Amino acid sequence: MAGSDLNSVALVGRLTRDAELSYLQSGTAVAAMSVAVNRSRKDGDQWVSEVNYFDVSYFGKPAESLKQYLTKGKQIAVQGALKQDRWEKDGQKFSKVRIMANTIELLGGRSDGSQPSSYGSGSGQQMQGGFSPRPSAQNYHAADSSAEESFGGDSSGFPEDIPF
């Protein structure tokens, strides 16, 4: 059945270290980070907590812009696809799965009271982003829409006068 495969992942976790920024030969920025995701499960009569660690790669201008906020302990939401890297060293085969992030959203409050921010760069293949401010968050999108949509669209979904 052709075309029925799906490779999509979404998770929320905390960064285990500050993101590291490097550049491909093409000049494209790559932010590398590791995310710890806690999971609770019941084992008999007790709840057991287990942690899983995932490597994440994030590309393009959004990676450069977001790098300063991707610090150890920061909670983030990641959406993207899984990519399996395979290599051989000294005759032994190795494999590692990492997440190629399409979007990263900063979660949790900060002391300055700012809102969470969301950033996206399209697929891992599409590494260009455009700036698109929103009232409650800053977003990066691979294919930026018109300026009218960048600032909340036609406002038909929200009344102009909010009663609070």
Side-chain angles (χ1 to χ4, degrees):
M1 197 159 142
S4 63
D5 295 344
L6 176 66
N7 181 354
S8 180
V9 63
L11 54 88
V12 173
R14 294 197 179 271
L15 294 170
T16 62
R17 57 184 162 84
D18 292 355
E20 298 171 6
L21 193 64
S22 61
Y23 292 86
L24 301 175
Q25 286 182 346
S26 65
T28 301
V30 181
M33 63 206 87
S34 179
V35 178
V37 178
N38 291 308
R39 185 185 100 139
S40 293
R41 62 177 174 81
K42 194 152 187 167
D43 186 10
D45 292 340
Q46 294 187 3
W47 283 96
V48 178
S49 181
E50 64 182 33
V51 181
N52 291 288
Y53 299 93
F54 301 97
D55 287 332
V56 178
S57 295
Y58 194 46
F59 296 89
K61 296 276 186 208
E64 289 178 311
S65 300
L66 198 59
K67 194 263 182 218
Q68 64 181 323
Y69 304 107
L70 297 173
T71 56
K72 183 177 179 176
K74 182 70 177 168
Q75 187 179 40
I76 64 170
V78 177
Q79 291 182 333
L82 299 176
K83 181 178 187 296
Q84 184 177 27
D85 295 322
R86 295 181 189 108
W87 68 97
E88 191 172 319
K89 182 178 179 183
D90 300 328
Q92 193 171 6
K93 294 182 180 185
F94 295 90
S95 174
K96 183 171 188 145
V97 175
R98 63 185 161 129
I99 298 169
M100 306 299 284
N102 293 333
T103 61
I104 290 181
E105 184 174 350
L106 302 174
L107 302 176
R110 294 196 325 219
S111 58
D112 64 10
S114 66
Q115 296 290 326
S117 298
S118 177
Y119 298 82
S121 65
S123 70
Q125 307 291 325
Q126 256 179 326
M127 298 178 197
Q128 296 177 350
F131 182 67
S132 171
R134 302 266 185 218
S136 64
Q138 294 175 333
N139 293 295
Y140 281 93
H141 295 285
D144 197 15
S145 54
S146 71
E148 177 182 83
E149 291 174 345
S150 296
F151 291 97
D154 61 17
S155 75
S156 62
F158 299 100
E160 282 293 318
D161 298 304
I162 299 175
F164 54 90

